């Protein structure tokens, strides 16, 4: 378990945590939206821009080869980190959103009118709208799994939705609103018993737990670097090789081709078939440093610290009069969505900001979940490894004050 001293040491790598907001020491609790970035990632970006920047895979010159090596070393690092079978299964994208769009568009091109895709009511819009675009294109039907009052998936209903028309199931590993950790391994196993491939949206799991794609046996797993202490604009699509090989390209352009004539074009081997255009090679290289950061602390240590903060804060929060927490599953990551009495989440968010506390307010890109909960939105506080118990106390104090003002 990380000590207070360890956390203070970790915080030294995040100068942004020392800034002020509204004249108060900032307490950054919007880690679910994006986490802050340690010096070693920022320094790597600066190092590359000042010493090594050159386009990848396109030159024989030294700089281009150095940059290509850095990008491909990062791919190998990520492969190892998520335990993918081969580097060909690690595709770089702009983020989780693009990775899901890629799968819906490319893998989905095999679906036909009337085919069914299973989603859940707790999905982020990124795992809803790409399937709706596909529905508009080819007439698939979306089936949606509900939740219980604790914010857990109705697994019985999930099982009951499978039938001979089901062609895909796509669901989050961890909810960005409720924090619920879904039993994804069991869900994948059930889907496979029905011959149905699975995509897991790991945007909220990858920052908080180790991911082993071979153990999960999922067909696709997607996540974003910026939520994992990494740079913005980088994401990963893991896909089983057998699918990626069968799938048509998602976008056309440089890098993804083998030979181009006006009559006919052949495509590059994996993973490049899905990486059209100049990638964010600087961000990709720097992402490896973010994974170094996680590995040096140890994901188990990160998870234990965040969990301790979650328990500590939730236990004290419930004493605030009129406070309701959305998402009380026993297996929950360090996200707390809440409302106080009849106050609007924006008012609460503004009053917290005035006290230096940065939380997110609104529908959190999960409008169908808000409809299910029958609320317009929530306030959401979420923790990362650098948050302290002192900050949790600061948040609780600010929340108590805000709640009293809004009473
Ligand atoms: N899925 C989930 C569960 C998320 O929390 C998010 C980010 N809020 C996304 C998808 C989309 O990620 P990105 O914006 O990095 O593409």
């Amino acid at each position: 378990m990380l000590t207070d001293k360890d956390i203070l040491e970790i915080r030294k790598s995040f100068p942004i945590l020392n800034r002020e907001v509204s004249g108060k020491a900032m307490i950054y609790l919007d880690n679910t939206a994006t986490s802050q970035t340690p010096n070693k990632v920022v320094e790597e970006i600066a190092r590359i821009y000042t010493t090594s920047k050159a386009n990848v895979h396109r030159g024989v010159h030294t700089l281009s080869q150095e940059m290509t090596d850095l990008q491909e070393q990062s791919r190998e690092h990520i492969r190892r980190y998520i335990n993918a079978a081969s580097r060909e299964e690690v595709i770089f994208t702009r983020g989780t959103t693009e990775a899901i769009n890629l799968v819906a568009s490319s893998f989905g091109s095999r679906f036909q009118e009337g085919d069914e895709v299973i989603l859940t009511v707790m999905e982020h819009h990124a795992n809803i709208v790409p399937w709706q675009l596909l529905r508009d294109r080819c007439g698939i039907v979306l089936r949606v799994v509900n939740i219980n009052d604790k914010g857990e998936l109705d697994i019985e209903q999930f099982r009951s939705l499978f039938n001979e028309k089901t062609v895909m199931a796509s669901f989050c590993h961890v909810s960005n609103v409720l924090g619920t950790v879904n039993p994804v391994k069991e869900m994948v196993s059930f889907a496979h018993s029905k011959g149905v491939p699975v995509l897991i949206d790991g945007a909220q799991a990858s920052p908080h737990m180790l991911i082993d794609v071979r153990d999960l046996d999922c067909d696709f797993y997607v996540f974003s670097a910026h939520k994992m202490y990494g740079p913005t604009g980088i994401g990963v699509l893991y896909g089983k090789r057998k699918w990626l090989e069968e799938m048509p390209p998602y976008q056309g352009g440089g890098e993804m081709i083998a030979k181009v004539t006006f009559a006919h074009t052949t495509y590059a081997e994996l993973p490049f078939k899905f990486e059209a255009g100049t990638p964010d090679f600087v961000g990709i290289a720097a992402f490896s440093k973010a994974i170094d950061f996680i590995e040096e602390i140890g994901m188990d240590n990160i998870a234990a610290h965040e969990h301790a903060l979650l328990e500590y804060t939730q236990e004290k929060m419930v004493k605030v009069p009129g406070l309701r927490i959305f998402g009380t599953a026993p297996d929950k990551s360090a996200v707390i969505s809440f409302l106080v009495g009849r106050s609007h989440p924006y008012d609460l968010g503004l009053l917290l900001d005035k006290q230096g506390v940065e939380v997110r307010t609104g529908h959190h890109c999960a409008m169908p979940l808000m409809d299910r909960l029958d609320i317009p939105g929530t306030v959401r506080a979420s923790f990362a490894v650098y948050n302290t118990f002192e900050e949790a106390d600061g948040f609780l104090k600010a929340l108590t004050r805000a709640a009293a003002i809004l009473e």
Side-chain angles (χ1 to χ4, degrees):
M1 183 78 185
L2 297 165
T3 62
D4 290 353
K5 213 168 135 227
D6 294 329
I7 303 298
L8 290 182
E9 202 49 44
I10 289 168
R11 287 175 73 86
K12 288 186 186 157
S13 290
F14 295 85
I16 195 171
L17 298 177
N18 298 325
R19 68 162 283 178
E20 293 192 342
V21 166
S22 312
K24 307 262 173 11
M26 177 186 75
I27 301 176
Y28 184 78
L29 298 180
D30 193 17
N31 296 288
T32 295
T34 199
S35 55
Q36 298 301 342
T37 308
N39 284 338
K40 63 162 58 189
V41 175
V42 180
E43 282 159 9
E44 179 66 353
I45 293 170
R47 187 188 71 77
I48 293 171
Y49 275 110
T50 49
T51 65
S52 301
K53 186 183 171 214
N55 210 336
V56 287
H57 294 299
R58 281 185 193 157
V60 290
H61 67 78
T62 303
L63 254 61
S64 174
Q65 286 185 359
E66 274 177 18
M67 198 62 243
T68 304
D69 287 348
L70 278 175
Q71 172 172 296
E72 294 310 312
Q73 280 160 17
S74 183
R75 195 189 307 272
E76 170 56 20
H77 193 178
I78 293 159
R79 182 206 66 73
R80 210 173 348 111
Y81 186 66
I82 63 171
N83 194 29
S86 71
R87 56 184 281 287
E88 286 79 7
E89 296 181 324
V90 176
I91 313 285
F92 288 116
T93 66
R94 279 196 304 123
T96 303
T97 303
E98 189 178 53
I100 300 175
N101 275 279
L102 191 165
V103 175
S105 173
S106 171
F107 192 69
S109 64
R110 69 182 62 207
F111 301 163
Q112 290 169 0
E113 191 172 347
D115 283 351
E116 296 185 4
V117 172
I118 297 177
L119 306 176
T120 85
V121 75
M122 64 168 76
E123 297 313 311
H124 187 281
H125 297 161
N127 196 25
I128 299 173
V129 186
W131 302 108
Q132 290 176 325
L133 292 173
L134 183 64
R135 179 176 66 186
D136 295 345
R137 244 179 27 231
C138 72
I140 57 163
V141 176
L142 303 181
R143 309 293 302 270
V144 182
V145 185
N146 206 341
I147 51 170
N148 65 19
D149 289 343
K150 286 187 185 154
E152 296 164 305
L153 287 178
D154 180 344
I155 295 296
E156 275 316 301
Q157 189 205 5
F158 169 73
R159 289 165 178 258
S160 74
L161 289 181
F162 285 80
N163 62 46
E164 66 289 347
K165 290 190 178 149
T166 312
V167 288
M168 181 95 196
S170 186
F171 43 78
C172 59
H173 195 160
V174 172
S175 159
N176 67 317
V177 176
L178 306 163
T180 313
V181 181
N182 290 323
V184 288
K185 192 171 170 184
E186 291 71 30
M187 292 166 78
V188 170
S189 161
F190 184 81
H192 284 177
S193 74
K194 303 286 177 192
V196 173
V198 173
L199 179 149
I200 301 177
D201 172 354
Q204 295 301 341
S206 53
H208 308 292
M209 61 183 76
L210 286 175
I211 306 301
D212 182 333
V213 291
R214 272 191 281 179
D215 181 53
L216 292 174
D217 197 28
C218 51
D219 299 273
F220 302 99
Y221 197 98
V222 297
F223 54 99
S224 300
H226 70 93
K227 296 183 195 284
M228 299 173 69
Y229 310 104
T232 59
I234 292 298
V236 171
L237 162 65
Y238 158 78
K240 279 187 179 164
R241 193 177 185 143
K242 65 170 178 180
W243 296 130
L244 294 175
E245 272 173 355
E246 283 178 16
M247 286 159 57
Y250 171 55
Q251 292 180 331
E255 304 274 354
M256 54 72 72
I257 53 89
K259 184 165 170 34
V260 180
T261 66
F262 276 107
H264 185 64
T265 290
T266 52
Y267 306 125
E269 299 290 311
L270 291 173
F272 308 114
K273 182 170 96 175
F274 291 107
E275 293 180 354
T278 299
D280 180 0
F281 47 80
V282 179
I284 291 169
F287 186 20
S288 179
K289 299 289 175 193
I291 297 179
D292 281 344
F293 169 81
I294 291 173
E295 288 181 321
E296 279 158 20
I297 299 171
M299 191 50 112
D300 288 350
N301 287 329
I302 294 175
H305 175 67
E306 291 173 349
H307 197 71
L309 281 170
L310 174 73
E311 301 250 290
Y312 177 86
T313 311
Q314 277 195 156
E315 210 180 292
K316 292 202 155 49
M317 264 175 94
V318 289
K319 297 190 183 120
V320 175
L323 189 120
R324 281 185 295 164
I325 291 180
F326 300 90
T328 51
D331 199 0
K332 179 174 168 172
S333 90
V335 181
I336 312 172
S337 279
F338 61 94
L339 285 174
V340 179
R342 293 156 66 88
S343 62
H344 196 279
Y346 291 128
D347 295 335
L348 207 48
L350 277 175
L351 286 174
L352 288 171
D353 182 60
K354 288 275 168 273
Q355 300 174 79
V357 180
E358 306 300 279
V359 290
R360 186 136 301 240
T361 54
H363 54 66
H364 314 297
C365 297
M367 283 184 175
L369 177 59
M370 297 301 128
D371 287 344
R372 161 65 182 81
L373 298 170
D374 201 19
I375 51 175
T378 74
V379 182
R380 184 184 68 188
S382 51
F383 297 106
V385 67
Y386 42 66
N387 288 123
T388 63
F389 287 90
E390 205 183 331
E391 287 183 314
D393 284 335
F395 162 63
L396 289 160
K397 205 166 144 197
L399 175 63
T400 309
R401 261 201 218 134
I405 293 170
L406 293 170
E407 209 181 356

